[in-house]
């Protein structure tokens, strides 16, 4: 009754309005969410996943043996060109080429810078000019019989030693030329492989760049899409604010209310059980009393007959039975004192209907989620509008960052790839021609080597040292002829090949010193960063940045695989901290609810009237005396009519009057029959009554403790509701909002880390630059430099090869005139007066 009144009072005070205000507290708690951590862990939200970096093609290139002479060639070029990178000189040409090319000071500066190359070029020109002239005069002299053209060889004591010295000198020189020729073949093949692979490697590099440029906008979209997920999750939580927040508020009450409700349920069960036992007890008492009354009537009738019999004059010794007859009575009344008061107390408690009060309290708390849902519609709608504004702010990120520039670069790369694909067949044809020409050059040099080798092989093989020079074998003569052929070929091709060496040397050497070397040590990028070198090329202003942005810094960051945020100084375009500052989005909600007064009444758990009834019930249960009825039951149970019947039989045995004897025995039989009825009828009723009393005694013994527990827990629950209801609503509301904000804070932290540390890692950009350097410098330029260096190597050693071959050839060729040296005395066909030296 008390709870019912409490419920009605609650409804009169407009419980729905109170809960609307209570949910206002929930949103007001948003202002405290930044400083007060949640007291309970929030449900797991949608965890943003880390960005997946795109897969790039492996572009390590093919090792074609391009670096086998790199150290040697680079050492030579460093000797030829020890000057540093001419940054200032190139800037002068870049700013005003027409004026600078006619400036004598600038020209002098250029010549001074290229002094090493000029000296080498002068040596090459001198070689180109002198080699055909010397060959022409040598040929003319030989035709005139001079310079070894005369087929006569003077025989001296040191001729064999001189021949051996010339032989080994020519042999070593030929080996050196052969080594250079092998390097020519190898460098030519390396250059061919490099050119063939360069198109594939370049396409792979451009594909990696295209993949990177396509991945960056996708990663930005991924960050924005994660905000959609977070916003959607929070919106769903707001839509389910009733079940979620209502359940949490219920949990706050259940810790105290559930024990109290459980104790009331136990009290109701015990009251019902007590009432049932009382009904059963009353029924048993009525039934037992009826049986006892019948028993009394039967016993009284038998007692009267016995009394008449023993008072007959013919009854011998019958007066001795008079004392036992006086005891033969069953005047018993089975009653329980205070049972009526106890029954009245039970009836009052039952009339209070504890079940209905429990149900009302349960229904009230079960309706909390629906109340929250109904009373927060407007607040949820306004909050969802605020979420849409948050989403719009985050979506602005893709507009503030110039991602369209990446699309333009991607289009340019696509056009470049198309152009590369279109010119690749022409490049392949040109490369095939170049390779064939270089192979021809290698083969011509090899021809000289072969001639020398054949001469060095056939000459000694067919030579008889002590034989007359005019009688030398054809084998030896062929060896000498091959040596002369090698020298002749050398004269014919060396100056032309030196021209090739000179042109390739000027091209490849300057490309290495002006492009590859500064590219490798970073000076080239620093030079490109020079202000004014490329008109209107300023990355900072082009991207809308305040600070200057250089290619060197970009390459350095990309080499470390840094994100675009730090590489391109995007923090100057977007204030990420402000954009992802969740607290600023809560100001509008704070303004709506910061002045709201909260008055949330509590429910009356048990009214004072019900508590008084329970106290009276407990007192009556304690006052019920079951001892008397137990004694009465024991008295009935102790009745034994068989004893009196036995005495009647004994008395009948001593009678002489058969009529008296018959009467006494009949009366004894009636007593035994009555005893049988007692045992079969009344004793089971007594046992049942005793069981009921024992059950009732047990419940009555517990009622006092149960009532005390009910009153204690109900009082504690009532105090808890009176003092903590508002605080529970505030706490649970704050926790709910803290969880929603925690989702946004988690997203903001993830977005901040992702954008500043993971998004657009530009390692592929540095990889593309490095790949271009490898293709151009490490493969093509190094192979080209190795080729001209090997060819020049051969051309230089052609000079000693010509000298040694021509001189050695006379020791193997068949002479036309004989000159014999024997025992240190020169013997001639025509005696002379004195020795003549030839």
């Amino acid at each position: 009754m008390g709870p019912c009144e409490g419920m009605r009072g609650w409804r009169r005070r407009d419980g729905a309005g109170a809960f609307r205000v209570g949910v206002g507290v929930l949103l007001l708690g948003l202002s405290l969410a930044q400083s007060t951590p949640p007291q309970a862990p929030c449900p797991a939200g949608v965890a943003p996943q880390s960005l997946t970096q795109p897969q790039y093609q492996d572009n390590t290139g093919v090792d074609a043996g391009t670096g086998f002479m790199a150290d040697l060639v680079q050492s030579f070029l460093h000797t030829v060109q020890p000057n540093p990178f001419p940054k200032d000189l190139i800037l002068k040409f870049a700013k005003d080429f027409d004026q600078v090319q006619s400036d004598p000071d600038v020209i002098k500066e250029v010549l001074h810078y290229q002094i090493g190359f000029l000296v080498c070029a002068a040596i090459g020109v001198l070689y180109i000019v002198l080699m055909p002239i010397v060959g022409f005069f040598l040929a003319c002299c030989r035709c005139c019989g001079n310079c070894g053209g005369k087929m006569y060889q003077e025989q001296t004591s040191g001729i064999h030693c001189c021949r051996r010295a010339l032989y080994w000198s020519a042999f070593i020189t030929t080996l050196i030329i052969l080594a250079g020729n092998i390097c020519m073949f190898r460098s030519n093949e390396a250059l061919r492989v490099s050119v063939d692979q360069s198109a594939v490697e370049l396409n792979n590099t451009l594909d990696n760049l295209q993949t990177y440029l396509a991945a960056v906008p996708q990663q930005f979209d991924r960050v924005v899409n994660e905000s959609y997920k977070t916003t959607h999750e929070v919106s769903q939580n707001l839509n389910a604010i009733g079940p979620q927040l209502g359940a949490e508020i219920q949990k706050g009450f259940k810790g105290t209310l559930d024990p109290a409700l459980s104790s009331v349920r136990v009290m109701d069960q015990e009251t019902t059980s007590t009432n049932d036992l009382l009904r059963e007890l009353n029924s048993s008492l009525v039934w037992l009393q009826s049986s006892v009354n019948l028993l009394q009537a039967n016993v009284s009738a038998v007692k009267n007959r016995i009394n008449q019999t023993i008072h007959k004059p013919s009854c011998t010794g019958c007066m001795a039975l008079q004392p036992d007859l006086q005891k033969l009575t069953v005047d018993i009344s089975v009653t329980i004192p205070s049972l009526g008061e106890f029954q009245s107390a039970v009836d009052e408690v039952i009339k209070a209907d504890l079940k209905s009060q429990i149900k009302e309290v349960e229904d009230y708390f079960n309706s909390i989620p629906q109340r929250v849902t109904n009373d927060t519609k407007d607040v949820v709608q306004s909050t969802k509008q605020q979420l849409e504004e948050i989403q719009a702010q985050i979506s602005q990120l893709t507009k503030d960052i110039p991602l369209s520039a990446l699309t333009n670069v991607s289009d340019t790369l696509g056009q470049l790839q198309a152009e590369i694909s279109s010119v690749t067949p022409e490049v392949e044809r040109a490369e095939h021609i170049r390779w064939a020409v270089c192979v021809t050059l290698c083969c011509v040099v090899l021809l000289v080597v072969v001639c020398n080798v054949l001469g060095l092989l056939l000459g000694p093989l067919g030579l008889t040292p002590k034989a007359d020079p005019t009688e030398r074998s054809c084998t030896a003569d062929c060896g000498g002829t091959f040596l002369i052929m090698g020298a002749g070929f050398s004269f014919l091709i060396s100056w032309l090949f030196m021209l090739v060496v000179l042109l390739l040397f000027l091209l490849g050497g300057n490309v290495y010193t002006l492009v590859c070397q500064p590219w490798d040590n970073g000076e080239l990028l620093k030079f490109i960063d020079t202000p004014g070198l490329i008109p209107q090329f300023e990355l900072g202003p082009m991207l809308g940045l305040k600070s200057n942005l250089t290619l060197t810094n970009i390459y350095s960051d990309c080499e470390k695989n840094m994100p675009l945020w730090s590489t391109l100084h995007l923090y100057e375009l977007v204030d990420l901290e402000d954009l992802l500052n969740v607290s600023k989005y809560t100001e509008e909600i704070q303004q709506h609810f910061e002045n709201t007064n909260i008055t949330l009444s509590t429910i009356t758990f048990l009214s004072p009237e019900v508590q008084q009834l329970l106290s009276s019930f407990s007192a009556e249960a304690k006052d019920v005396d079951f001892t008397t009825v137990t004694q009465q039951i024991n008295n009935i149970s102790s009745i034994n009519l068989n004893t009196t019947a036995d005495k009647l039989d004994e008395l009948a045995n001593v009678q002489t009057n058969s009529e008296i004897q018959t009467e006494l025995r009949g009366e004894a039989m009636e007593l035994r029959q009555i005893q049988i009825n007692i045992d079969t009828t009344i004793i089971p009723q007594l046992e049942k009554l005793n069981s009921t009393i024992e059950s009732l005694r047990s419940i009555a013994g517990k009622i006092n403790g149960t009532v005390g527990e009910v009153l204690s827990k109900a009082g504690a629950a009532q105090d808890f509701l009176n003092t903590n209801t508002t605080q529970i609503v505030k706490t649970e509301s704050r926790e709910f909002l803290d969880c929603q904000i925690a989702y946004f804070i988690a997203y903001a932290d993830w977005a901040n880390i992702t954008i500043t540390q993971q998004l657009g890692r530009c390692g592929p950009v540095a990889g593309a630059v490095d790949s271009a350097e490898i293709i151009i410098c490490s493969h093509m330029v190094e192979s080209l430099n190795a080729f001209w260096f090997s060819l020049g190597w051969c051309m230089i050693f052609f000079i000693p090869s010509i000298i040694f071959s021509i001189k050695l050839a006379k020791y193997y060729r068949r002479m036309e005139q004989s000159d014999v040296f024997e025992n240190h005395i020169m013997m001639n066909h025509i005696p002379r007066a004195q020795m003549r030296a030839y």
Side-chain angles (χ1 to χ4, degrees), residues 148-160:
K150 188 176 182 179
M151 302 301 291
Y152 167 77
Q153 185 178 27
E154 182 180 0
Q155 301 296 301
T156 62
S157 58
I159 188 172
H160 298 300

Side-chain angles (χ1 to χ4, degrees), residues 86 121 131 196 253 255 299 314 317 411-412 438 509 562 589 600 648 688 733 773 805:
M131 187 60 77
D196 290 344
F253 291 118
V299 171
S314 60
D411 294 339
T412 303
C438 290
M562 298 291 287
I589 298 177
L600 189 61
L648 287 174
K688 181 179 180 182
S733 302
E773 180 190 4
S805 296

Side-chain angles (χ1 to χ4, degrees), residues 232-411:
H232 178 68
E233 182 178 8
V234 174
S235 297
Q236 286 184 327
N237 292 339
L238 289 174
N239 291 333
I241 189 174
Q244 291 188 15
L245 179 57
E248 294 302 322
I249 294 175
Q250 287 176 325
K251 289 180 181 178
F253 291 118
K254 282 184 178 180
T256 303
L257 295 183
D258 280 356
L261 287 173
S262 297
S263 64
V264 175
R265 290 190 186 94
V266 172
M267 184 73 259
D268 180 70
Q269 291 174 359
E270 291 186 358
T271 303
T272 303
S273 298
T274 302
N275 184 57
D276 293 340
L277 289 173
L278 287 174
R279 291 178 182 274
E280 184 178 354
L281 179 61
N282 290 327
S283 176
S284 298
L285 287 174
V286 172
W287 186 20
L288 178 61
Q289 191 62 52
S290 176
S291 299
V292 169
N293 292 336
L294 180 60
L295 173 63
Q296 288 177 346
N298 293 332
V299 171
S300 297
V302 174
K303 180 180 178 181
N304 292 329
R305 286 196 295 273
I306 293 173
N307 190 37
Q308 293 175 2
T309 301
I310 63 177
H311 283 85
K312 288 181 178 183
S314 60
C315 185
T316 303
C318 293
M319 295 306 296
L321 192 63
Q322 187 66 35
D324 293 327
L325 188 62
Q326 295 297 327
K327 296 178 183 179
L328 187 63
T329 180
V330 193
D331 188 9
I332 299 173
S333 178
V334 183
T335 59
I336 300 177
S338 304
L339 189 62
E341 292 80 0
F342 184 46
Q343 181 68 60
S344 298
V346 172
D347 292 340
E348 291 297 327
V349 174
I350 292 176
K351 289 179 182 179
D353 196 2
L354 295 179
K355 289 183 179 179
S356 64
Q357 296 187 38
I358 293 172
K359 188 175 185 305
E360 287 190 34
V361 175
E362 290 178 342
D363 291 343
Y364 173 76
F365 286 102
N366 290 335
S367 66
I368 289 177
Q370 186 60 44
R371 288 172 178 267
V372 173
T373 300
N374 296 336
D375 298 335
T376 56
K377 291 182 180 179
D378 296 338
V379 176
V380 168
Q381 186 63 32
S382 62
T383 305
K384 291 171 69 174
Q385 292 177 357
Q386 185 70 17
L387 291 179
E388 294 178 359
E389 296 179 6
I390 296 174
Q391 185 60 60
Q393 290 289 335
I394 297 175
S395 301
Q396 189 66 28
L397 177 65
T398 55
K399 300 179 181 179
D400 295 336
I401 296 177
L403 296 177
S404 58
L406 299 179
T407 304
N408 298 334
V409 174
S410 179
D411 294 339

Side-chain angles (χ1 to χ4, degrees), residues 591-612:
Q591 292 174 0
H592 278 93
F593 297 100
E594 63 183 0
N595 296 324
T596 302
N597 294 322
I598 302 170
T599 55
L600 189 61
S601 301
T602 59
I603 187 174
T604 300
F605 195 81
L606 287 178
S607 66
E609 293 81 0
V610 174
Q611 296 181 22
Q612 182 61 39

Side-chain angles (χ1 to χ4, degrees), residues 420-710:
I420 291 175
S421 299
S422 63
V423 301
T424 296
E426 299 295 331
V427 173
E428 290 177 351
R429 283 192 291 270
E431 169 57 22
H432 182 72
I433 296 173
R434 180 211 63 78
W435 177 81
V437 172
C438 290
V439 169
T440 302
L441 298 179
C442 296
C443 291
V444 172
V445 174
L446 182 62
L447 178 62
V448 175
V449 174
V450 170
C451 289
N452 287 354
V453 171
L454 291 175
L456 294 173
L457 181 64
L458 296 177
L461 188 63
L463 178 65
T464 303
K466 294 184 178 181
D468 189 279
T470 59
E471 297 178 358
R472 289 173 179 162
S473 65
C474 293
T475 302
D477 187 60
C478 286
T481 303
F482 275 117
L483 290 174
I484 293 298
M485 289 175 59
F489 280 127
S490 299
F491 274 118
L492 289 175
I493 65 173
S494 60
W495 67 278
L496 292 173
F497 284 12
M498 182 55 75
L499 181 61
V500 176
V501 172
L502 180 60
L503 295 177
L504 296 180
F505 163 70
L506 293 176
L507 174 63
N510 280 288
V511 170
Y512 172 76
T513 56
L514 294 177
V515 178
C516 294
Q517 185 178 0
W519 194 344
D520 182 64
N521 58 29
E523 292 184 5
L524 186 62
L525 286 179
K526 293 180 181 179
F527 174 71
I528 297 176
D529 288 331
T530 303
L533 177 64
I534 302 177
Q536 298 180 350
F537 182 75
E538 294 182 1
L539 288 177
M542 288 173 61
L543 295 176
L545 304 177
K546 298 177 182 179
S547 61
N548 188 22
L549 191 63
T550 63
L551 293 177
T552 303
N553 294 334
I554 293 177
Y555 175 78
S556 177
D557 288 345
C558 291
E559 200 172 23
K560 302 173 185 175
N561 202 22
M562 298 291 287
L564 284 180
W565 183 260
S566 58
T567 301
L568 298 182
H569 299 181
L570 296 180
Y571 46 81
E572 297 182 12
L573 297 177
V574 179
D575 188 354
L576 195 61
E577 294 295 334
D578 179 69
L579 182 65
L580 298 177
N581 184 11
V582 178
S583 61
K584 71 175 185 178
Y585 300 125
T586 63
E587 294 179 357
E588 183 176 347
I589 298 177
Q590 293 176 8
Q591 292 174 0
H592 278 93
F593 297 100
E594 63 183 0
N595 296 324
T596 302
N597 294 322
I598 302 170
T599 55
L600 189 61
S601 301
T602 59
I603 187 174
T604 300
F605 195 81
L606 287 178
S607 66
E609 293 81 0
V610 174
Q611 296 181 22
Q612 182 61 39
L613 287 176
L614 293 177
S615 298
S616 300
F617 177 43
S618 176
E620 293 297 334
K622 185 170 60 175
D623 293 340
V624 175
D625 183 12
F626 294 98
T627 305
T628 303
V629 71
T630 303
Q631 184 64 39
Q632 294 171 358
I633 292 173
N634 293 334
N635 293 336
I636 298 175
S637 300
S638 63
I639 296 175
N640 189 357
L641 300 180
N642 290 330
T643 302
T644 306
D646 293 339
K647 291 181 178 182
L648 287 174
D649 286 338
E650 292 175 358
L651 184 61
N653 291 332
V654 299
Q655 299 297 321
T656 57
N657 189 335
S658 59
E659 182 180 355
I660 296 299
Q661 186 179 30
T662 302
E663 289 179 0
L664 289 175
R665 287 178 178 173
E667 292 164 353
M669 186 178 295
E670 290 179 2
L671 288 178
R672 287 191 176 92
Q673 186 62 43
I674 293 172
Q675 185 63 46
I676 291 173
N677 291 334
I678 291 174
D679 294 336
T680 57
T681 303
I682 295 179
I683 294 302
Q685 293 179 7
L686 291 176
E687 291 176 353
K688 181 179 180 182
L689 179 62
N690 189 56
S691 175
T692 303
I693 291 173
E694 289 301 324
S695 299
L696 191 58
R697 189 199 305 272
S698 175
I699 291 179
K702 296 178 182 179
I703 286 176
N704 187 39
T706 303
V707 171
E709 182 179 1
V710 168

